C-alpha cells in the first residue's frame, strides 16, 4: 500500500473517531448545563440534574448492543460499509438534538425525544470504535501495528477537547442567548464534520485482512454465536482489561469537575483548564506510546501504566486536597495526561491481536463496550455514592481506582504478548530475505 493510501486510512480512522466522540461528549457536558433545565424539568433542580446524568449514562448501556449489531455487519459485509453507517447515524442523532423543541414547548415529548436520540448515539458509538480501530490495525504493516492502532484512540481525547472548546466559546454569550440558542450551535454544526468524515471514508478500500477472510469463504453466519461459543475467554479478558482504562478516565475527566468545585471549592474554570491541558498532553503521548509498544511489547507497557495508576490513586487525591490550582493541574496531567496514555494507546491493538480476523470486529466490540458500560458509565456515580456514604472522604474513591487496576492486572495475566511473537516473525522474515 502506498504512502498516500496509508495516510488516507489513518486520517479516515482518526477523523471518524474524533467526530463520533465529539458528538458523544458534547451531550455529557450540555446535560449538566442545559438539559437539566430545558428538558428534564422538575420541582427539585437536583432531580433534574440526576435525570440528565442518567440520560448520559444510558448510552453506555446501549453501546454493547450497538457493538453487537454493527460488528455483525462488520464481520459479514465489511469494515468500511459499517463505518459509513455508524457515522451517519451519529450525525443524524446529534443534528436532531440541536433542533429539538424544549419541555416548555412540547412537554413530556421533549425528554422522550432527547433520550431516543441519545440511545441512537449510543448505538452509533458502539459500532464505530471497533471499525475505526480495525481500519487502522488491519492496514498496518506488522512492525507498526501498535502505532497505527493508537491513532483511533486519539479520537477519544480529540473529540472531548473539541466538545469542551465548542461549548466554552458558546458560554461566552449572554446567559439568556446561551440557554435559548447558543447551546444548539455545536450540535447543528457537527453535521458539517460528519459530511467531511463521510467524504474521507468514501475514498478508502476494504481492509486487506477482511478481504482474505472473504476470499477464503470463512465468513461466519452469526459472528456473535461463534464469538461467545469459541472465544468467550478472550471476551472476558477484554472486558477486564478495559476496566482500568475507562473508570479512572471518567474520574479524572468527569467526576473531578463536580468534586473539585463542590467539595474543594476550586472554580469551574480552573478545573476545566486542568482537564483540557491533560487532554492535550495525553493526545500527544498516545501515538508515542503506541510506537513504543511496537518496540517493547503491548503487555509490558499496559502493565506499567496499570501499576502506575494504582500507585497514583492516593497521591492524586492528596494533591487535590491541598487546594492549590497548580497542584490540581499537575495531578490531572499525571493521571489523565501521562499514566492513562500508555494504557489506552495499546488497548485496541492488544484486543485485535487476541481475536481471529473472522470474528475480530465482534470480539473487540463486545469486550470494549461491555467493559465501558460496566466500569465507565458507572464510575462518576460510584465515586459520588462513595463520597456520600463515607462523609466526603476520598479514601474509598482512591481504593476504587486501585480495585479497577487489580481487576485489569488479573485479566491481562492471560494475554500472550503477541507483539513479541510478531517482532520475532518480522526479524525472521528480514533474515530470510537477507
Amino acid at each position: 500500500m502506498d504512502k498516500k493510501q496509508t495516510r488516507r486510512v489513518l486520517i479516515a480512522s482518526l477523523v471518524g473517531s474524533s467526530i463520533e466522540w465529539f458528538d458523544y461528549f458534547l451531550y455529557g457536558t450540555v446535560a449538566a448545563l442545559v438539559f437539566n433545565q430545558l428538558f428534564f424539568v422538575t420541582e427539585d433542580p437536583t432531580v433534574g440534574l440526576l435525570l440528565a446524568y442518567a440520560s448520559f449514562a444510558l448510552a453506555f448501556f446501549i453501546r454493547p448492543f450497538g457493538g453487537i449489531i454493527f460488528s455483525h455487519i462488520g464481520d459479514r459485509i465489511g469494515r468500511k460499509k459499517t463505518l459509513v453507517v455508524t457515522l451517519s447515524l451519529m450525525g443524524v442523532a446529534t443534528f436532531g438534538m440541536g433542533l429539538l423543541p424544549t419541555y416548555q414547548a412540547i412537554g413530556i415529548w421533549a425528554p422522550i425525544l432527547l433520550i431516543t436520540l441519545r440511545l441512537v448515539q449510543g448505538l452509533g458509538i458502539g459500532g464505530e470504535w471497533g471499525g475505526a480501530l480495525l481500519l487502522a490495525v488491519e492496514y498496518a504493516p506488522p512492525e507498526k501495528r501498535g502505532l497505527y492502532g493508537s491513532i483511533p484512540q486519539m479520537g477519544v481525547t480529540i473529540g472531548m477537547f473539541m466538545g469542551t472548546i465548542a461549548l466554552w466559546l458558546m458560554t461566552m454569550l449572554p446567559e439568556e442567548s446561551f440557554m435559548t440558542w447558543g447551546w444548539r450551535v455545536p450540535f447543528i454544526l457537527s453535521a458539517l464534520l460528519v459530511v467531511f468524515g463521510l467524504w474521507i471514508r468514501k475514498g478508502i478500500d476494504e481492509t486487506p485482512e477482511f478481504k482474505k477472510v472473504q476470499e477464503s469463504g470463512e465468513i461466519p453466519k452469526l459472528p456473535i454465536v461463534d464469538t461467545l461459543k469459541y472465544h468467550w475467554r478472550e471476551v472476558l479478558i477484554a472486558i477486564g482489561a478495559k476496566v482500568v482504562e475507562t473508570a479512572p478516565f471518567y474520574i479524572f475527566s468527569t467526576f473531578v469537575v463536580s468534586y473539585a468545585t463542590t467539595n474543594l471549592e476550586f472554580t469551574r474554570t480552573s478545573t476545566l483548564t486542568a482537564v483540557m491541558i491533560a487532554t492535550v498532553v495525553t493526545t500527544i503521548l498516545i501515538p508515542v506510546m503506541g510506537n513504543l509498544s511496537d518496540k517493547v511489547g503491548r503487555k509490558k507497557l499496559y502493565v506499567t501504566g496499570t501499576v502506575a495508576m494504582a500507585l497514583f490513586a492516593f497521591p492524586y487525591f492528596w494533591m487535590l486536597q491541598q487546594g492549590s490550582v497548580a497542584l490540581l493541574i499537575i495531578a490531572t496531567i499525571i493521571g489523565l495526561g501521562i499514566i492513562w496514555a500508555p494504557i489506552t494507546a495499546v488497548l485496541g491493538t492488544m484486543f485485535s491481536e487476541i481475536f481471529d480476523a473472522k470474528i475480530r470486529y465482534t470480539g473487540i466490540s463486545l469486550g470494549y463496550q461491555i467493559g465501558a458500560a460496566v466500569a465507565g458509565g458507572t464510575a462518576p456515580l460510584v465515586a459520588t455514592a462513595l463520597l456520600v456514604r463515607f462523609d466526603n472522604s476520598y479514601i474509598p474513591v482512591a481504593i476504587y481506582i486501585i480495585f479497577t487496576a487489580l481487576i485489569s492486572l488479573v485479566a491481562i495475566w492471560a494475554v500472550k504478548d503477541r507483539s513479541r511473537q510478531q517482532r520475532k516473525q518480522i526479524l525472521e522474515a528480514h533474515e530470510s530475505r537477507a
Side-chain angles (χ1 to χ4, degrees):
M1 185 173 67
D2 62 17
K3 279 187 178 173
K4 195 177 173 186
Q5 174 77 341
T6 306
R7 201 178 303 123
R8 190 164 186 124
V9 165
L10 290 178
I11 291 170
S13 172
L14 178 61
V15 167
S17 177
S18 301
I19 294 165
E20 293 258 6
W21 288 106
F22 166 72
D23 288 357
Y24 192 74
F25 284 125
L26 192 59
Y27 184 99
T29 316
V30 176
L33 296 172
V34 178
F35 294 161
N36 56 328
Q37 295 173 56
L38 297 185
F39 288 88
F40 301 102
V41 179
T42 60
E43 296 291 320
D44 184 350
T46 311
V47 174
L49 183 62
L50 281 172
L51 286 171
Y53 270 141
S55 69
F56 172 71
L58 198 61
F60 280 90
F61 294 98
I62 204 79
R63 273 166 59 175
F65 296 100
I68 290 167
I69 294 162
F70 291 110
S71 60
H72 175 83
I73 302 167
D75 276 331
R76 282 194 54 77
I77 298 166
R79 314 331 191 187
K80 183 193 161 178
K81 290 184 180 75
T82 314
L83 285 172
V84 169
V85 179
T86 56
L87 191 54
S88 307
L89 204 63
M90 196 71 159
V92 168
T94 308
F95 183 72
M97 284 175 184
L99 302 176
L100 275 185
T102 62
Y103 186 88
Q104 285 80 358
I106 58 168
I108 192 70
W109 280 105
I112 290 171
L113 288 171
L114 183 66
I115 287 171
T116 304
L117 290 175
R118 181 59 177 163
L119 291 176
V120 173
Q121 277 194 333
L123 287 173
I125 204 86
E128 162 71 23
W129 178 81
L133 178 87
L134 293 185
L135 191 64
V137 170
E138 293 188 344
Y139 261 113
E143 71 277 8
K144 288 187 178 173
R145 203 167 270 174
L147 173 62
Y148 279 45
S150 68
I151 301 294
Q153 294 297 83
M154 292 165 70
V156 179
T157 46
I158 291 172
M160 186 175 151
F161 187 74
M162 280 163 45
T164 311
I165 290 282
L167 270 174
W168 177 69
L169 289 171
M170 289 298 122
T171 51
M172 288 180 173
L173 291 167
E175 180 71 10
E176 195 185 336
S177 301
F178 175 72
M179 291 304 284
T180 312
W181 58 267
W183 69 268
R184 296 178 182 273
V185 173
F187 286 88
I188 292 167
L189 289 182
S190 74
L192 297 174
L193 292 174
V194 170
V195 170
F196 174 66
L198 290 171
W199 173 75
I200 283 279
R201 285 185 170 176
K202 192 173 175 287
I204 53 171
D205 202 3
E206 193 47 80
T207 72
E209 292 204 35
F210 181 74
K211 281 182 179 171
K212 275 185 204 163
V213 175
Q214 264 184 326
E215 285 161 16
S216 68
E218 290 182 353
I219 290 179
K221 279 194 171 62
L222 283 170
I224 181 79
V225 173
D226 283 19
T227 305
L228 294 175
K229 194 172 177 183
Y230 304 112
H231 303 275
W232 58 270
R233 283 186 190 82
E234 287 89 342
V235 172
L236 287 177
I237 289 168
I239 293 169
K242 174 70 179 160
V243 170
V244 76
E245 188 256 6
T246 196
F249 173 79
Y250 285 102
I251 286 173
F252 294 152
S253 65
T254 308
F255 165 76
V256 73
V257 178
S258 60
Y259 176 68
T261 51
T262 312
N263 295 54
L264 305 176
E265 294 176 3
F266 284 102
T267 64
R268 179 171 282 170
T269 309
S270 54
T271 314
L272 286 174
T273 302
V275 173
M276 278 170 69
I277 293 169
T279 304
V280 173
V281 172
T282 203
T283 306
I284 294 165
L285 279 182
I286 285 170
V288 174
M289 294 296 171
N291 191 37
L292 186 61
S293 79
D294 285 320
K295 297 174 176 68
V296 303
R298 318 268 181 247
K299 191 171 174 179
K300 193 179 285 182
L301 213 55
Y302 176 92
V303 169
T304 304
T306 305
V307 170
M309 188 68 81
L311 293 175
F312 185 61
F314 277 99
Y316 170 71
F317 283 103
W318 179 85
M319 288 166 88
L320 297 190
Q321 296 293 316
Q322 305 312 304
S324 149
V325 173
L327 281 177
L328 166 73
I329 292 171
I330 293 165
T332 311
I333 288 173
I334 295 171
L336 181 60
I338 297 169
I339 294 174
W340 186 73
I343 299 173
T344 200
V346 302
L347 195 78
T349 312
M350 201 162 66
F351 283 6
S352 69
E353 287 173 346
I354 61 174
F355 288 102
D356 191 281
K358 294 197 290 286
I359 50 85
R360 187 173 288 149
Y361 203 141
T362 304
I364 65 169
S365 296
L366 271 181
Y368 189 92
Q369 303 304 351
I370 294 172
V374 172
T378 56
L381 291 170
V382 170
T384 307
L386 288 171
L387 281 182
V388 172
R389 174 75 180 79
F390 294 97
D391 285 339
N392 285 333
S393 166
Y394 69 81
I395 292 171
V397 187
I399 291 169
Y400 170 60
I401 291 176
I402 293 167
F403 177 65
T404 64
L406 291 174
I407 289 173
S408 292
L409 284 174
V410 169
I412 209 67
W413 213 259
V415 174
K416 293 187 181 74
D417 198 338
R418 302 284 174 96
S419 52
R420 190 175 297 159
Q421 293 173 318
Q422 279 160 353
R423 283 200 311 281
K424 195 177 167 188
Q425 285 165 4
I426 293 159
L427 283 171
E428 284 169 0
H430 282 312
E431 280 167 14
S432 63
R433 275 189 221 129

